[in-house]
Each structure stands twice: as structure tokens, then as C-alpha cells.
Amino acid sequence: MTTLNKFMNIAIKEAKKTVLDIPVCALIVKEGEIISIKNNEREKTNSTCAHAEILAIGEANKKLNSWRLDNCDMFVTLEPCPMCAWAIISARIKNLYFGSYDTKYGAFFSSLNLKTLSNSKINVIGGIEEEQCNKLLDNYFWNLRNEKNT
């Protein structure tokens, strides 16, 4: 198992703990150590901006006492939306690895590419443990649809 798979599997395991929200987890790694790990909390906190990526960045900023997350990598189970993508770029994350592609809102490959609007040198790789990430999201939305139909 590669290091990329190892960290993505940790994110998947954590995302499975999500109860009310879409099961998305973001973790930030610096020098091989996880310094931040967060799940979506929009429903839990009634906060529009409580996406996993935003929360993980905030926690890492506090831990490092800096808004710059130079030499940090982010692993997220779903391709970031435009809000999160811009926060990731602004935080100067070095590498972004994600699992599922988001064909509606994905802001690095699928729908648009915000990287092209900046001078960011971020390296972005999608499809890490994609099948597991897709299954996690598919199960969530299947359950959500079935709850509404009962």
C-alpha cells in the first residue's frame, strides 16, 4: 500500500463516522504526520462554510500558527468545490489528493479548474481509492433518498 492510499484510507474510515452530513473527510499531512482531520459539519453546525476542507485548513492554521500551509498535503474523499478549492490554493497547500471526482461542483478537474486562475503550483491528483470513495457517497445518497420515500 502506498503512502497516498494509506492516508486516503484513513480519510475514508473517518468519513464513515459522519452522521448528518455528506460523508466527506479532509486531512492535512505535514512531514508524514496528520496535523488536521475534519469531516463535513454543515448540517451539524448549521454553517454554510463547514466543509471538511475549510475546517481542516482552519485547524492546521491554528496548529502551525500560520495561515500558510507550505509543504503540507491534503487528502480529501471528494474533489473540492470552488469555495474549498480557492481556500486550498490560498493556503498554499503543496499537494492535493482526492478520491471521487465531482462532476457538478469539482473545481480542479471535473467542472472547472481554479488552479488556472492563480499562480499556484499545487500538484493535484484525483482518483485515489476512487471506488471506495464513490461507494461511500453512493450509499449516503441512496439512504437519503430511501428515507425521504418512506
Side-chain angles (χ1 to χ4, degrees), residues 19-33:
V19 178
L20 298 173
D21 289 273
I22 297 172
V24 174
C25 178
L27 61 89
I28 297 176
V29 175
K30 183 167 182 141
E31 297 171 357
E33 179 186 334

Side-chain angles (χ1 to χ4, degrees), residues 25-76:
C25 178
L27 61 89
I28 297 176
V29 175
K30 183 167 182 141
E31 297 171 357
E33 179 186 334
I34 297 172
I35 62 169
S36 177
I37 187 164
K38 290 291 186 178
N39 292 335
N40 274 354
E41 294 185 2
R42 290 188 315 167
E43 296 293 336
K44 179 180 174 183
T45 62
N46 288 314
S47 174
T48 304
C49 297
H51 289 210
E53 299 94 326
I54 301 293
L55 298 173
I57 289 169
E59 184 174 78
N61 292 145
K62 287 179 185 171
K63 191 165 202 175
L64 298 177
N65 196 30
S66 175
W67 67 266
R68 293 176 187 89
L69 299 180
D70 297 320
N71 298 315
C72 289
D73 299 329
M74 178 180 276
F75 293 80
V76 62

Side-chain angles (χ1 to χ4, degrees), residues 80-97:
C81 71
M83 175 181 71
C84 295
W86 200 255
I88 291 164
I89 290 168
S90 296
R92 299 181 180 174
I93 299 280
K94 183 177 182 178
N95 297 296
L96 169 68
Y97 306 103

Side-chain angles (χ1 to χ4, degrees), residues 1 3-4 19 121 138:
M1 175 183 294
T3 302
L4 299 181
V19 178
K121 298 197 182 353
D138 290 344

